[in-house]
Amino acid sequence: FISQRERFRVVTSLPCSRRRVLRTVGAGLFGTAATTLIVACSRNQQTHATSDPSVSQYVRSDFSGEVAFESFNTSAGSYVPANAEHPAQNVPVPIKTENMGKNSIAGFYDTIGYLNAALNYLLATGDTNPLEVITINPEFTKALLLFTDETGESQAAKSWYVSPQATLSLTSRMPTAVNDYRKDWRYTLDISLGEQQVVNSQASAIPAEQQKFHYAGTIQGTFEKEAWSLTLTVRDPQSTAGASPS
């Protein structure tokens, strides 16, 4: 028997493609890589109005709950969700906020929100470009290789998840300050692949027990060179199908 943690270590060293991940959901491989995902359009962000709408001046004392992020480039056109006939189109691209360059709780929070949005973008498109804007620990980025699409293989093969979504949440009102430049924040990541996937233009159902996964760990934020770098630790993932995570 191989634990989820050991499987994560082995799988992240393999040269897998996004299409291969789609094919191997039934074998449980996704559970090891699902630490890499997010919400494309977050909501309920509490901000103070400013003359520049891209600048978030937080007036809040409680950051717990689902991470919000609202800075996107939508110039490609109206977003069209994926279905059994085509992948998602004109997926909004996350854009860095001014707060992300500040040594503040709001800056740390916005960087986590950007990560969340960039991961959802990756899950929908296979494109890692938005993720490359921020610094993430190598262990985490290795898992992202399972969802990259550097050669356009997914679109050429017409393979995608129909309705995937990942939700990153913070479990405390404020992060724990380690020093002036380092903060830690506990998080959870809940991933739903949806009920359907398309592989090589053929739609198929995803088994109920493999549709949802729950992850938890700590995001360590370090502020240096006017930016937050993130180190994500991950405890063993749990399938949430049919039961609440323990």
Side-chain angles (χ1 to χ4, degrees):
F1 176 80
I2 301 177
S3 70
Q4 290 279 21
R5 186 183 302 277
E6 177 65 14
R7 191 182 298 160
F8 179 88
R9 184 189 67 78
V10 173
V11 169
T12 54
S13 67
L14 298 176
C16 297
S17 69
R18 175 177 165 86
R19 182 172 64 175
R20 181 174 175 184
V21 173
L22 282 161
R23 287 174 172 170
T24 53
V25 169
L29 182 60
F30 180 84
T32 66
T35 57
T36 65
L37 312 174
I38 59 81
V39 181
C41 295
S42 301
R43 54 197 176 276
N44 298 331
Q45 180 169 300
Q46 302 176 29
T47 63
H48 175 72
T50 68
S51 58
D52 182 354
S54 68
V55 179
S56 299
Q57 299 291 340
Y58 291 87
V59 181
R60 59 191 292 184
S61 59
D62 186 351
F63 289 88
S64 61
E66 180 179 341
V67 174
F69 192 79
E70 298 178 350
S71 179
F72 293 89
N73 180 349
T74 59
S75 61
S78 299
Y79 171 64
V80 180
N83 58 32
E85 303 298 324
H86 61 77
Q89 300 172 5
N90 305 325
V91 180
V93 183
I95 303 173
K96 289 181 64 175
T97 67
E98 185 174 317
N99 270 338
M100 290 171 64
K102 297 179 179 179
N103 184 9
S104 64
I105 293 175
F108 186 22
Y109 181 87
D110 265 15
T111 305
I112 295 172
Y114 179 94
L115 168 64
N116 194 33
L119 288 173
N120 262 318
Y121 185 84
L122 171 65
L123 185 60
T125 67
D127 184 358
T128 62
N129 284 332
L131 279 165
E132 294 169 4
V133 172
I134 58 177
T135 301
I136 314 169
N137 57 308
E139 295 78 8
F140 192 75
T141 54
K142 282 182 181 179
L144 301 181
L145 294 177
L146 293 170
F147 296 95
T148 60
D149 189 20
E150 295 177 354
T151 63
E153 181 182 4
S154 294
Q155 292 197 10
K158 295 192 177 299
S159 301
W160 63 88
Y161 296 118
V162 172
S163 56
Q165 179 171 318
T167 304
L168 194 158
S169 299
L170 300 172
T171 61
S172 62
R173 297 170 62 249
M174 291 285 178
T176 300
V178 178
N179 54 47
D180 289 345
Y181 300 95
R182 160 80 184 280
K183 294 178 173 62
D184 292 353
W185 224 329
R186 300 288 296 179
Y187 78 95
T188 62
L189 184 60
D190 290 287
I191 295 148
S192 174
L193 294 183
E195 299 179 353
Q196 194 175 38
Q197 63 182 351
V198 176
V199 180
N200 294 330
S201 300
Q202 298 296 316
S204 61
I206 299 176
E209 67 274 13
Q210 295 169 8
Q211 291 176 13
K212 297 182 180 181
F213 297 86
H214 176 79
Y215 298 78
T218 300
I219 301 176
Q220 301 171 356
T222 302
F223 188 79
E224 54 186 354
K225 298 180 180 179
E226 298 184 349
W228 287 92
S229 62
L230 305 179
T231 298
L232 290 90
T233 64
V234 182
R235 298 202 300 269
D236 287 344
Q238 303 168 327
S239 172
T240 62
S244 299
S246 58

